[in-house]
Amino acid sequence: MNPRNNHRLILFPHPFQGHMNSMLQLGRILYARGFSITIVHTNFNAPDPSSHPNFAFQSITDGIDQSEASTLDTRGLLALLDVRCAVPFEECLREMVSSQGGDAAPIACLISDSMFSFTCSVAQRLKVHALVLRTAGAAFLYIATIFPVLKEKGYVPVLGSRSEEAVKEFPPLLVKDIPAVDPQKPEVMFRILDNLIAVIKDSSGVIINTFEELEHSDLASLREVLSVPFFPIGPSHRFCVISPSSSSQAEDTDCISWLDKQPPKSVIYVSFGSLAAMSEAEMLEIALGLADSEKPFLWVVRPRSVHDPEWLEKSPSHFLKALEGEGR
């Protein structure tokens, strides 16, 4: 690896697609400024090193496969990754620290995703400077800092009948702006937010994918409440006009020729991201809506995103007919 400015940055992205995209964009920004970049990543949803030839890649074991992940909701998967990655990550970083010198550039800093709760404490033990990357905006993070008060005042869990009600202690916040909490398992969300705030307080600062002009008041509140520096660099994609693919799924380009034949602004696009899983009933409801629209549509359905693998065969006949005509 070329040491370039003789400083190496270790980046540890969360494997969720949106988090991975933001970290790889940050890596390209920092590489362009002379840093050597090493990406430590999980085996689950691993990035493709061939798409990023300027980076070094190091994987850690996590013991999670796609079939196990598909049985969990997003919060459950967050919690599982946080537990299973802690020891392998520390072992990996310890080895990197011990191998410094010679041809290996010194480690200037660790930048980890803020959804990992253990990274900053590991870095402190190994005497490595640590920043965290917050891939979402400042407003959500500010809500996380006031969550204990929201619980105390009875705003959490959110009840549908109160969704338009103002949170009078924190104007202009409305009840519907508060992150959803499963009333059956509220402790999962509470723990995620507690860990998020704790790792930020343990860090040397937060790189956040927003910009000052958009969220000035929330950023000012965060700097005051959390007492760490915030570095708004967003939107990070503006620095990456030509970006290699960072998708964790193989790209399917079969639809391109069909799309090219459709009139401009005529196609309904449906996608639920890289994690959501739905029931057969939910899929059938979407199918009926698309068929009844009588409009061209492109619906992205990931492998294992549907609990029932035979949902398509059970779909209404007029939806299947639509797939043969205006839909893909």
PDB file of all heavy atoms in Angstrom, residues 12 14-15 42 60-64 68 72 74-91 115-119 122 125 188 191-192 195:
ATOM      1  N   PHE A  12     -14.542   1.873   9.592  1.00  0.00           N
ATOM      2  CA  PHE A  12     -15.327   0.692   9.955  1.00  0.00           C
ATOM      3  C   PHE A  12     -16.800   0.996   9.722  1.00  0.00           C
ATOM      4  O   PHE A  12     -17.490   1.535  10.589  1.00  0.00           O
ATOM      5  CB  PHE A  12     -15.065   0.323  11.414  1.00  0.00           C
ATOM      6  CG  PHE A  12     -15.754  -0.941  11.868  1.00  0.00           C
ATOM      7  CD1 PHE A  12     -15.933  -2.019  11.013  1.00  0.00           C
ATOM      8  CD2 PHE A  12     -16.213  -1.058  13.178  1.00  0.00           C
ATOM      9  CE1 PHE A  12     -16.558  -3.180  11.439  1.00  0.00           C
ATOM     10  CE2 PHE A  12     -16.836  -2.218  13.618  1.00  0.00           C
ATOM     11  CZ  PHE A  12     -17.014  -3.281  12.742  1.00  0.00           C
ATOM     12  N   HIS A  14     -20.874   0.382   9.072  1.00  0.00           N
ATOM     13  CA  HIS A  14     -21.939  -0.562   9.404  1.00  0.00           C
ATOM     14  C   HIS A  14     -22.382  -1.214   8.103  1.00  0.00           C
ATOM     15  O   HIS A  14     -22.412  -0.561   7.055  1.00  0.00           O
ATOM     16  CB  HIS A  14     -23.110   0.163  10.062  1.00  0.00           C
ATOM     17  CG  HIS A  14     -23.976  -0.724  10.883  1.00  0.00           C
ATOM     18  ND1 HIS A  14     -24.923  -1.549  10.319  1.00  0.00           N
ATOM     19  CD2 HIS A  14     -24.019  -0.968  12.222  1.00  0.00           C
ATOM     20  CE1 HIS A  14     -25.519  -2.238  11.273  1.00  0.00           C
ATOM     21  NE2 HIS A  14     -24.992  -1.910  12.435  1.00  0.00           N
ATOM     22  N   PRO A  15     -22.747  -2.516   8.118  1.00  0.00           N
ATOM     23  CA  PRO A  15     -23.053  -3.189   6.851  1.00  0.00           C
ATOM     24  C   PRO A  15     -24.387  -2.843   6.218  1.00  0.00           C
ATOM     25  O   PRO A  15     -24.656  -3.284   5.101  1.00  0.00           O
ATOM     26  CB  PRO A  15     -22.996  -4.676   7.232  1.00  0.00           C
ATOM     27  CG  PRO A  15     -23.309  -4.715   8.692  1.00  0.00           C
ATOM     28  CD  PRO A  15     -22.704  -3.455   9.244  1.00  0.00           C
ATOM     29  N   THR A  42     -17.556  -6.199   7.966  1.00  0.00           N
ATOM     30  CA  THR A  42     -18.126  -7.491   8.328  1.00  0.00           C
ATOM     31  C   THR A  42     -18.229  -8.378   7.087  1.00  0.00           C
ATOM     32  O   THR A  42     -18.236  -7.882   5.957  1.00  0.00           O
ATOM     33  CB  THR A  42     -19.528  -7.315   8.933  1.00  0.00           C
ATOM     34  OG1 THR A  42     -20.370  -6.672   7.956  1.00  0.00           O
ATOM     35  CG2 THR A  42     -19.474  -6.450  10.187  1.00  0.00           C
ATOM     36  N   ILE A  60     -13.796  -8.965   9.072  1.00  0.00           N
ATOM     37  CA  ILE A  60     -13.878  -9.589  10.382  1.00  0.00           C
ATOM     38  C   ILE A  60     -15.082 -10.538  10.371  1.00  0.00           C
ATOM     39  O   ILE A  60     -16.043 -10.330   9.636  1.00  0.00           O
ATOM     40  CB  ILE A  60     -14.025  -8.567  11.527  1.00  0.00           C
ATOM     41  CG1 ILE A  60     -15.315  -7.756  11.380  1.00  0.00           C
ATOM     42  CG2 ILE A  60     -12.809  -7.650  11.595  1.00  0.00           C
ATOM     43  CD1 ILE A  60     -15.640  -6.900  12.589  1.00  0.00           C
ATOM     44  N   THR A  61     -15.010 -11.569  11.187  1.00  0.00           N
ATOM     45  CA  THR A  61     -16.125 -12.513  11.257  1.00  0.00           C
ATOM     46  C   THR A  61     -17.266 -11.923  12.082  1.00  0.00           C
ATOM     47  O   THR A  61     -17.033 -11.182  13.037  1.00  0.00           O
ATOM     48  CB  THR A  61     -15.673 -13.836  11.888  1.00  0.00           C
ATOM     49  OG1 THR A  61     -15.155 -13.578  13.201  1.00  0.00           O
ATOM     50  CG2 THR A  61     -14.592 -14.507  11.050  1.00  0.00           C
ATOM     51  N   ASP A  62     -18.481 -12.256  11.681  1.00  0.00           N
ATOM     52  CA  ASP A  62     -19.645 -11.797  12.445  1.00  0.00           C
ATOM     53  C   ASP A  62     -20.641 -12.923  12.702  1.00  0.00           C
ATOM     54  O   ASP A  62     -21.549 -12.775  13.511  1.00  0.00           O
ATOM     55  CB  ASP A  62     -20.355 -10.646  11.719  1.00  0.00           C
ATOM     56  CG  ASP A  62     -20.644 -10.966  10.260  1.00  0.00           C
ATOM     57  OD1 ASP A  62     -21.359 -11.948  10.004  1.00  0.00           O
ATOM     58  OD2 ASP A  62     -20.152 -10.246   9.370  1.00  0.00           O
ATOM     59  N   GLY A  63     -20.475 -14.039  11.985  1.00  0.00           N
ATOM     60  CA  GLY A  63     -21.338 -15.194  12.227  1.00  0.00           C
ATOM     61  C   GLY A  63     -22.777 -15.010  11.807  1.00  0.00           C
ATOM     62  O   GLY A  63     -23.661 -15.729  12.260  1.00  0.00           O
ATOM     63  N   ILE A  64     -23.032 -14.029  10.926  1.00  0.00           N
ATOM     64  CA  ILE A  64     -24.408 -13.756  10.481  1.00  0.00           C
ATOM     65  C   ILE A  64     -24.509 -14.044   8.992  1.00  0.00           C
ATOM     66  O   ILE A  64     -23.678 -13.581   8.211  1.00  0.00           O
ATOM     67  CB  ILE A  64     -24.806 -12.296  10.759  1.00  0.00           C
ATOM     68  CG1 ILE A  64     -24.759 -12.008  12.261  1.00  0.00           C
ATOM     69  CG2 ILE A  64     -26.187 -11.988  10.205  1.00  0.00           C
ATOM     70  CD1 ILE A  64     -24.993 -10.559  12.620  1.00  0.00           C
ATOM     71  N   GLU A  68     -30.307 -15.892   8.419  1.00  0.00           N
ATOM     72  CA  GLU A  68     -30.548 -15.472   9.796  1.00  0.00           C
ATOM     73  C   GLU A  68     -31.001 -14.024   9.842  1.00  0.00           C
ATOM     74  O   GLU A  68     -31.933 -13.660  10.575  1.00  0.00           O
ATOM     75  CB  GLU A  68     -29.290 -15.645  10.642  1.00  0.00           C
ATOM     76  CG  GLU A  68     -29.473 -15.247  12.104  1.00  0.00           C
ATOM     77  CD  GLU A  68     -28.224 -15.432  12.939  1.00  0.00           C
ATOM     78  OE1 GLU A  68     -27.124 -15.499  12.363  1.00  0.00           O
ATOM     79  OE2 GLU A  68     -28.355 -15.499  14.174  1.00  0.00           O
ATOM     80  N   LEU A  72     -34.910 -11.343  11.288  1.00  0.00           N
ATOM     81  CA  LEU A  72     -34.858 -10.282  12.297  1.00  0.00           C
ATOM     82  C   LEU A  72     -35.372  -8.973  11.721  1.00  0.00           C
ATOM     83  O   LEU A  72     -35.214  -8.704  10.527  1.00  0.00           O
ATOM     84  CB  LEU A  72     -33.417 -10.079  12.785  1.00  0.00           C
ATOM     85  CG  LEU A  72     -32.738 -11.289  13.438  1.00  0.00           C
ATOM     86  CD1 LEU A  72     -31.252 -11.010  13.609  1.00  0.00           C
ATOM     87  CD2 LEU A  72     -33.373 -11.599  14.783  1.00  0.00           C
ATOM     88  N   THR A  74     -35.064  -4.691  11.794  1.00  0.00           N
ATOM     89  CA  THR A  74     -33.869  -3.857  11.727  1.00  0.00           C
ATOM     90  C   THR A  74     -33.222  -3.681  13.098  1.00  0.00           C
ATOM     91  O   THR A  74     -31.991  -3.789  13.245  1.00  0.00           O
ATOM     92  CB  THR A  74     -34.223  -2.480  11.139  1.00  0.00           C
ATOM     93  OG1 THR A  74     -34.790  -2.663   9.834  1.00  0.00           O
ATOM     94  CG2 THR A  74     -32.993  -1.604  11.030  1.00  0.00           C
ATOM     95  N   ARG A  75     -34.039  -3.435  14.114  1.00  0.00           N
ATOM     96  CA  ARG A  75     -33.479  -3.205  15.446  1.00  0.00           C
ATOM     97  C   ARG A  75     -32.837  -4.477  16.001  1.00  0.00           C
ATOM     98  O   ARG A  75     -31.796  -4.421  16.659  1.00  0.00           O
ATOM     99  CB  ARG A  75     -34.568  -2.674  16.378  1.00  0.00           C
ATOM    100  CG  ARG A  75     -35.075  -1.293  15.975  1.00  0.00           C
ATOM    101  CD  ARG A  75     -36.189  -0.805  16.898  1.00  0.00           C
ATOM    102  NE  ARG A  75     -36.674   0.505  16.488  1.00  0.00           N
ATOM    103  CZ  ARG A  75     -37.650   0.717  15.622  1.00  0.00           C
ATOM    104  NH1 ARG A  75     -38.249  -0.316  15.066  1.00  0.00           N
ATOM    105  NH2 ARG A  75     -38.023   1.940  15.293  1.00  0.00           N
ATOM    106  N   GLY A  76     -33.461  -5.622  15.742  1.00  0.00           N
ATOM    107  CA  GLY A  76     -32.878  -6.875  16.191  1.00  0.00           C
ATOM    108  C   GLY A  76     -31.547  -7.158  15.526  1.00  0.00           C
ATOM    109  O   GLY A  76     -30.606  -7.639  16.169  1.00  0.00           O
ATOM    110  N   LEU A  77     -31.440  -6.846  14.240  1.00  0.00           N
ATOM    111  CA  LEU A  77     -30.192  -7.055  13.520  1.00  0.00           C
ATOM    112  C   LEU A  77     -29.117  -6.081  13.999  1.00  0.00           C
ATOM    113  O   LEU A  77     -27.941  -6.449  14.129  1.00  0.00           O
ATOM    114  CB  LEU A  77     -30.428  -6.901  12.021  1.00  0.00           C
ATOM    115  CG  LEU A  77     -29.262  -7.258  11.095  1.00  0.00           C
ATOM    116  CD1 LEU A  77     -28.706  -8.642  11.393  1.00  0.00           C
ATOM    117  CD2 LEU A  77     -29.715  -7.154   9.634  1.00  0.00           C
ATOM    118  N   LEU A  78     -29.507  -4.841  14.272  1.00  0.00           N
ATOM    119  CA  LEU A  78     -28.562  -3.880  14.849  1.00  0.00           C
ATOM    120  C   LEU A  78     -27.959  -4.415  16.145  1.00  0.00           C
ATOM    121  O   LEU A  78     -26.739  -4.373  16.344  1.00  0.00           O
ATOM    122  CB  LEU A  78     -29.275  -2.553  15.133  1.00  0.00           C
ATOM    123  CG  LEU A  78     -29.385  -1.517  14.024  1.00  0.00           C
ATOM    124  CD1 LEU A  78     -30.321  -0.397  14.458  1.00  0.00           C
ATOM    125  CD2 LEU A  78     -28.018  -0.953  13.680  1.00  0.00           C
ATOM    126  N   ALA A  79     -28.817  -4.914  17.014  1.00  0.00           N
ATOM    127  CA  ALA A  79     -28.362  -5.409  18.309  1.00  0.00           C
ATOM    128  C   ALA A  79     -27.448  -6.616  18.145  1.00  0.00           C
ATOM    129  O   ALA A  79     -26.421  -6.739  18.829  1.00  0.00           O
ATOM    130  CB  ALA A  79     -29.564  -5.758  19.187  1.00  0.00           C
ATOM    131  N   LEU A  80     -27.798  -7.524  17.238  1.00  0.00           N
ATOM    132  CA  LEU A  80     -26.997  -8.728  17.033  1.00  0.00           C
ATOM    133  C   LEU A  80     -25.616  -8.393  16.472  1.00  0.00           C
ATOM    134  O   LEU A  80     -24.597  -8.945  16.917  1.00  0.00           O
ATOM    135  CB  LEU A  80     -27.738  -9.677  16.093  1.00  0.00           C
ATOM    136  CG  LEU A  80     -27.109 -11.065  15.910  1.00  0.00           C
ATOM    137  CD1 LEU A  80     -27.053 -11.816  17.233  1.00  0.00           C
ATOM    138  CD2 LEU A  80     -27.887 -11.869  14.877  1.00  0.00           C
ATOM    139  N   LEU A  81     -25.560  -7.509  15.495  1.00  0.00           N
ATOM    140  CA  LEU A  81     -24.268  -7.095  14.940  1.00  0.00           C
ATOM    141  C   LEU A  81     -23.387  -6.436  15.992  1.00  0.00           C
ATOM    142  O   LEU A  81     -22.171  -6.650  16.030  1.00  0.00           O
ATOM    143  CB  LEU A  81     -24.500  -6.132  13.770  1.00  0.00           C
ATOM    144  CG  LEU A  81     -24.925  -6.759  12.450  1.00  0.00           C
ATOM    145  CD1 LEU A  81     -25.530  -5.715  11.523  1.00  0.00           C
ATOM    146  CD2 LEU A  81     -23.743  -7.441  11.770  1.00  0.00           C
ATOM    147  N   ASP A  82     -23.992  -5.652  16.856  1.00  0.00           N
ATOM    148  CA  ASP A  82     -23.234  -4.963  17.897  1.00  0.00           C
ATOM    149  C   ASP A  82     -22.581  -5.961  18.851  1.00  0.00           C
ATOM    150  O   ASP A  82     -21.453  -5.749  19.310  1.00  0.00           O
ATOM    151  CB  ASP A  82     -24.160  -4.009  18.663  1.00  0.00           C
ATOM    152  CG  ASP A  82     -23.403  -2.885  19.330  1.00  0.00           C
ATOM    153  OD1 ASP A  82     -22.571  -2.249  18.662  1.00  0.00           O
ATOM    154  OD2 ASP A  82     -23.635  -2.653  20.535  1.00  0.00           O
ATOM    155  N   VAL A  83     -23.274  -7.035  19.140  1.00  0.00           N
ATOM    156  CA  VAL A  83     -22.732  -8.055  20.046  1.00  0.00           C
ATOM    157  C   VAL A  83     -21.658  -8.890  19.356  1.00  0.00           C
ATOM    158  O   VAL A  83     -20.566  -9.108  19.891  1.00  0.00           O
ATOM    159  CB  VAL A  83     -23.867  -8.961  20.563  1.00  0.00           C
ATOM    160  CG1 VAL A  83     -23.300 -10.174  21.298  1.00  0.00           C
ATOM    161  CG2 VAL A  83     -24.798  -8.180  21.473  1.00  0.00           C
ATOM    162  N   ARG A  84     -21.937  -9.353  18.148  1.00  0.00           N
ATOM    163  CA  ARG A  84     -21.053 -10.318  17.499  1.00  0.00           C
ATOM    164  C   ARG A  84     -19.786  -9.703  16.905  1.00  0.00           C
ATOM    165  O   ARG A  84     -18.817 -10.416  16.654  1.00  0.00           O
ATOM    166  CB  ARG A  84     -21.815 -11.067  16.414  1.00  0.00           C
ATOM    167  CG  ARG A  84     -22.899 -11.975  16.977  1.00  0.00           C
ATOM    168  CD  ARG A  84     -23.354 -12.978  15.968  1.00  0.00           C
ATOM    169  NE  ARG A  84     -24.419 -13.832  16.491  1.00  0.00           N
ATOM    170  CZ  ARG A  84     -25.106 -14.685  15.760  1.00  0.00           C
ATOM    171  NH1 ARG A  84     -24.832 -14.816  14.464  1.00  0.00           N
ATOM    172  NH2 ARG A  84     -26.053 -15.432  16.300  1.00  0.00           N
ATOM    173  N   CYS A  85     -19.800  -8.407  16.657  1.00  0.00           N
ATOM    174  CA  CYS A  85     -18.638  -7.783  16.025  1.00  0.00           C
ATOM    175  C   CYS A  85     -17.616  -7.245  17.026  1.00  0.00           C
ATOM    176  O   CYS A  85     -16.484  -6.929  16.635  1.00  0.00           O
ATOM    177  CB  CYS A  85     -19.084  -6.644  15.108  1.00  0.00           C
ATOM    178  SG  CYS A  85     -19.978  -7.191  13.650  1.00  0.00           S
ATOM    179  N   ALA A  86     -17.974  -7.117  18.281  1.00  0.00           N
ATOM    180  CA  ALA A  86     -17.112  -6.435  19.245  1.00  0.00           C
ATOM    181  C   ALA A  86     -15.746  -7.109  19.379  1.00  0.00           C
ATOM    182  O   ALA A  86     -14.698  -6.453  19.233  1.00  0.00           O
ATOM    183  CB  ALA A  86     -17.811  -6.360  20.600  1.00  0.00           C
ATOM    184  N   VAL A  87     -15.714  -8.394  19.670  1.00  0.00           N
ATOM    185  CA  VAL A  87     -14.437  -9.088  19.876  1.00  0.00           C
ATOM    186  C   VAL A  87     -13.638  -9.190  18.580  1.00  0.00           C
ATOM    187  O   VAL A  87     -12.433  -8.863  18.563  1.00  0.00           O
ATOM    188  CB  VAL A  87     -14.669 -10.476  20.502  1.00  0.00           C
ATOM    189  CG1 VAL A  87     -13.370 -11.283  20.521  1.00  0.00           C
ATOM    190  CG2 VAL A  87     -15.218 -10.329  21.918  1.00  0.00           C
ATOM    191  N   PRO A  88     -14.238  -9.625  17.455  1.00  0.00           N
ATOM    192  CA  PRO A  88     -13.455  -9.683  16.212  1.00  0.00           C
ATOM    193  C   PRO A  88     -12.881  -8.326  15.798  1.00  0.00           C
ATOM    194  O   PRO A  88     -11.752  -8.256  15.297  1.00  0.00           O
ATOM    195  CB  PRO A  88     -14.462 -10.187  15.175  1.00  0.00           C
ATOM    196  CG  PRO A  88     -15.478 -10.934  15.968  1.00  0.00           C
ATOM    197  CD  PRO A  88     -15.586 -10.196  17.267  1.00  0.00           C
ATOM    198  N   PHE A  89     -13.641  -7.256  16.024  1.00  0.00           N
ATOM    199  CA  PHE A  89     -13.118  -5.930  15.672  1.00  0.00           C
ATOM    200  C   PHE A  89     -11.912  -5.572  16.533  1.00  0.00           C
ATOM    201  O   PHE A  89     -10.896  -5.071  16.022  1.00  0.00           O
ATOM    202  CB  PHE A  89     -14.201  -4.862  15.831  1.00  0.00           C
ATOM    203  CG  PHE A  89     -13.669  -3.467  15.646  1.00  0.00           C
ATOM    204  CD1 PHE A  89     -13.421  -2.972  14.374  1.00  0.00           C
ATOM    205  CD2 PHE A  89     -13.398  -2.652  16.735  1.00  0.00           C
ATOM    206  CE1 PHE A  89     -12.905  -1.698  14.191  1.00  0.00           C
ATOM    207  CE2 PHE A  89     -12.890  -1.378  16.570  1.00  0.00           C
ATOM    208  CZ  PHE A  89     -12.643  -0.891  15.294  1.00  0.00           C
ATOM    209  N   GLU A  90     -11.995  -5.813  17.830  1.00  0.00           N
ATOM    210  CA  GLU A  90     -10.859  -5.479  18.699  1.00  0.00           C
ATOM    211  C   GLU A  90      -9.623  -6.282  18.306  1.00  0.00           C
ATOM    212  O   GLU A  90      -8.511  -5.742  18.279  1.00  0.00           O
ATOM    213  CB  GLU A  90     -11.208  -5.733  20.163  1.00  0.00           C
ATOM    214  CG  GLU A  90     -10.063  -5.382  21.102  1.00  0.00           C
ATOM    215  CD  GLU A  90     -10.482  -5.198  22.543  1.00  0.00           C
ATOM    216  OE1 GLU A  90     -11.672  -5.377  22.852  1.00  0.00           O
ATOM    217  OE2 GLU A  90      -9.617  -4.841  23.370  1.00  0.00           O
ATOM    218  N   GLU A  91      -9.804  -7.549  17.999  1.00  0.00           N
ATOM    219  CA  GLU A  91      -8.661  -8.365  17.578  1.00  0.00           C
ATOM    220  C   GLU A  91      -8.051  -7.824  16.293  1.00  0.00           C
ATOM    221  O   GLU A  91      -6.819  -7.772  16.149  1.00  0.00           O
ATOM    222  CB  GLU A  91      -9.111  -9.815  17.383  1.00  0.00           C
ATOM    223  CG  GLU A  91      -9.499 -10.515  18.680  1.00  0.00           C
ATOM    224  CD  GLU A  91     -10.106 -11.887  18.439  1.00  0.00           C
ATOM    225  OE1 GLU A  91     -10.434 -12.193  17.261  1.00  0.00           O
ATOM    226  OE2 GLU A  91     -10.282 -12.644  19.420  1.00  0.00           O
ATOM    227  N   MET A 115     -23.376   3.530  14.872  1.00  0.00           N
ATOM    228  CA  MET A 115     -24.282   2.487  15.356  1.00  0.00           C
ATOM    229  C   MET A 115     -23.543   1.326  16.014  1.00  0.00           C
ATOM    230  O   MET A 115     -24.172   0.431  16.567  1.00  0.00           O
ATOM    231  CB  MET A 115     -25.158   1.964  14.217  1.00  0.00           C
ATOM    232  CG  MET A 115     -26.074   3.011  13.602  1.00  0.00           C
ATOM    233  SD  MET A 115     -27.015   3.984  14.813  1.00  0.00           S
ATOM    234  CE  MET A 115     -28.037   2.725  15.569  1.00  0.00           C
ATOM    235  N   PHE A 116     -22.218   1.324  15.960  1.00  0.00           N
ATOM    236  CA  PHE A 116     -21.435   0.358  16.723  1.00  0.00           C
ATOM    237  C   PHE A 116     -21.101   0.987  18.074  1.00  0.00           C
ATOM    238  O   PHE A 116     -20.445   2.029  18.132  1.00  0.00           O
ATOM    239  CB  PHE A 116     -20.149  -0.016  15.992  1.00  0.00           C
ATOM    240  CG  PHE A 116     -20.346  -0.935  14.822  1.00  0.00           C
ATOM    241  CD1 PHE A 116     -19.940  -0.554  13.547  1.00  0.00           C
ATOM    242  CD2 PHE A 116     -20.907  -2.193  14.989  1.00  0.00           C
ATOM    243  CE1 PHE A 116     -20.109  -1.410  12.469  1.00  0.00           C
ATOM    244  CE2 PHE A 116     -21.090  -3.046  13.909  1.00  0.00           C
ATOM    245  CZ  PHE A 116     -20.682  -2.657  12.648  1.00  0.00           C
ATOM    246  N   SER A 117     -21.498   0.338  19.155  1.00  0.00           N
ATOM    247  CA  SER A 117     -21.353   0.946  20.483  1.00  0.00           C
ATOM    248  C   SER A 117     -19.975   0.758  21.095  1.00  0.00           C
ATOM    249  O   SER A 117     -19.625   1.445  22.053  1.00  0.00           O
ATOM    250  CB  SER A 117     -22.406   0.361  21.432  1.00  0.00           C
ATOM    251  OG  SER A 117     -22.124  -1.004  21.715  1.00  0.00           O
ATOM    252  N   PHE A 118     -19.158  -0.151  20.566  1.00  0.00           N
ATOM    253  CA  PHE A 118     -17.935  -0.577  21.246  1.00  0.00           C
ATOM    254  C   PHE A 118     -16.660   0.033  20.674  1.00  0.00           C
ATOM    255  O   PHE A 118     -15.584  -0.102  21.270  1.00  0.00           O
ATOM    256  CB  PHE A 118     -17.819  -2.107  21.157  1.00  0.00           C
ATOM    257  CG  PHE A 118     -17.932  -2.632  19.751  1.00  0.00           C
ATOM    258  CD1 PHE A 118     -16.851  -2.645  18.885  1.00  0.00           C
ATOM    259  CD2 PHE A 118     -19.150  -3.102  19.280  1.00  0.00           C
ATOM    260  CE1 PHE A 118     -16.969  -3.101  17.587  1.00  0.00           C
ATOM    261  CE2 PHE A 118     -19.286  -3.572  17.979  1.00  0.00           C
ATOM    262  CZ  PHE A 118     -18.187  -3.573  17.125  1.00  0.00           C
ATOM    263  N   THR A 119     -16.730   0.687  19.530  1.00  0.00           N
ATOM    264  CA  THR A 119     -15.516   1.028  18.793  1.00  0.00           C
ATOM    265  C   THR A 119     -14.625   2.044  19.506  1.00  0.00           C
ATOM    266  O   THR A 119     -13.401   1.920  19.509  1.00  0.00           O
ATOM    267  CB  THR A 119     -15.871   1.560  17.402  1.00  0.00           C
ATOM    268  OG1 THR A 119     -16.843   2.610  17.531  1.00  0.00           O
ATOM    269  CG2 THR A 119     -16.458   0.460  16.536  1.00  0.00           C
ATOM    270  N   VAL A 122     -12.743   0.493  22.444  1.00  0.00           N
ATOM    271  CA  VAL A 122     -11.639  -0.325  21.922  1.00  0.00           C
ATOM    272  C   VAL A 122     -10.480   0.576  21.506  1.00  0.00           C
ATOM    273  O   VAL A 122      -9.314   0.307  21.835  1.00  0.00           O
ATOM    274  CB  VAL A 122     -12.115  -1.175  20.728  1.00  0.00           C
ATOM    275  CG1 VAL A 122     -10.923  -1.802  19.997  1.00  0.00           C
ATOM    276  CG2 VAL A 122     -13.067  -2.257  21.190  1.00  0.00           C
ATOM    277  N   ARG A 125      -8.501   1.859  24.466  1.00  0.00           N
ATOM    278  CA  ARG A 125      -7.602   0.851  25.043  1.00  0.00           C
ATOM    279  C   ARG A 125      -6.329   0.688  24.213  1.00  0.00           C
ATOM    280  O   ARG A 125      -5.255   0.410  24.760  1.00  0.00           O
ATOM    281  CB  ARG A 125      -8.325  -0.489  25.158  1.00  0.00           C
ATOM    282  CG  ARG A 125      -9.366  -0.543  26.239  1.00  0.00           C
ATOM    283  CD  ARG A 125      -9.775  -1.964  26.564  1.00  0.00           C
ATOM    284  NE  ARG A 125     -10.516  -2.611  25.495  1.00  0.00           N
ATOM    285  CZ  ARG A 125     -11.823  -2.514  25.330  1.00  0.00           C
ATOM    286  NH1 ARG A 125     -12.541  -1.765  26.167  1.00  0.00           N
ATOM    287  NH2 ARG A 125     -12.442  -3.151  24.355  1.00  0.00           N
ATOM    288  N   VAL A 188     -35.527  -2.419  23.395  1.00  0.00           N
ATOM    289  CA  VAL A 188     -34.579  -2.560  22.294  1.00  0.00           C
ATOM    290  C   VAL A 188     -34.210  -1.191  21.734  1.00  0.00           C
ATOM    291  O   VAL A 188     -33.032  -0.862  21.569  1.00  0.00           O
ATOM    292  CB  VAL A 188     -35.162  -3.460  21.183  1.00  0.00           C
ATOM    293  CG1 VAL A 188     -34.221  -3.516  19.981  1.00  0.00           C
ATOM    294  CG2 VAL A 188     -35.410  -4.867  21.719  1.00  0.00           C
ATOM    295  N   ARG A 191     -32.196   0.936  24.243  1.00  0.00           N
ATOM    296  CA  ARG A 191     -30.791   0.534  24.332  1.00  0.00           C
ATOM    297  C   ARG A 191     -30.000   1.043  23.119  1.00  0.00           C
ATOM    298  O   ARG A 191     -28.861   1.503  23.266  1.00  0.00           O
ATOM    299  CB  ARG A 191     -30.686  -0.984  24.449  1.00  0.00           C
ATOM    300  CG  ARG A 191     -29.269  -1.494  24.651  1.00  0.00           C
ATOM    301  CD  ARG A 191     -29.261  -2.927  25.140  1.00  0.00           C
ATOM    302  NE  ARG A 191     -29.955  -3.834  24.227  1.00  0.00           N
ATOM    303  CZ  ARG A 191     -31.129  -4.410  24.499  1.00  0.00           C
ATOM    304  NH1 ARG A 191     -31.735  -4.202  25.663  1.00  0.00           N
ATOM    305  NH2 ARG A 191     -31.695  -5.231  23.626  1.00  0.00           N
ATOM    306  N   ILE A 192     -30.599   0.976  21.931  1.00  0.00           N
ATOM    307  CA  ILE A 192     -29.915   1.463  20.733  1.00  0.00           C
ATOM    308  C   ILE A 192     -29.587   2.950  20.861  1.00  0.00           C
ATOM    309  O   ILE A 192     -28.466   3.391  20.571  1.00  0.00           O
ATOM    310  CB  ILE A 192     -30.783   1.207  19.486  1.00  0.00           C
ATOM    311  CG1 ILE A 192     -30.805  -0.292  19.156  1.00  0.00           C
ATOM    312  CG2 ILE A 192     -30.274   2.005  18.286  1.00  0.00           C
ATOM    313  CD1 ILE A 192     -31.809  -0.662  18.078  1.00  0.00           C
ATOM    314  N   ASN A 195     -26.889   3.591  23.549  1.00  0.00           N
ATOM    315  CA  ASN A 195     -25.566   3.240  23.031  1.00  0.00           C
ATOM    316  C   ASN A 195     -25.061   4.280  22.042  1.00  0.00           C
ATOM    317  O   ASN A 195     -23.862   4.605  22.017  1.00  0.00           O
ATOM    318  CB  ASN A 195     -25.610   1.866  22.349  1.00  0.00           C
ATOM    319  CG  ASN A 195     -25.773   0.723  23.326  1.00  0.00           C
ATOM    320  OD1 ASN A 195     -25.536   0.871  24.526  1.00  0.00           O
ATOM    321  ND2 ASN A 195     -26.169  -0.435  22.834  1.00  0.00           N
TER     322      ASN A 195
END
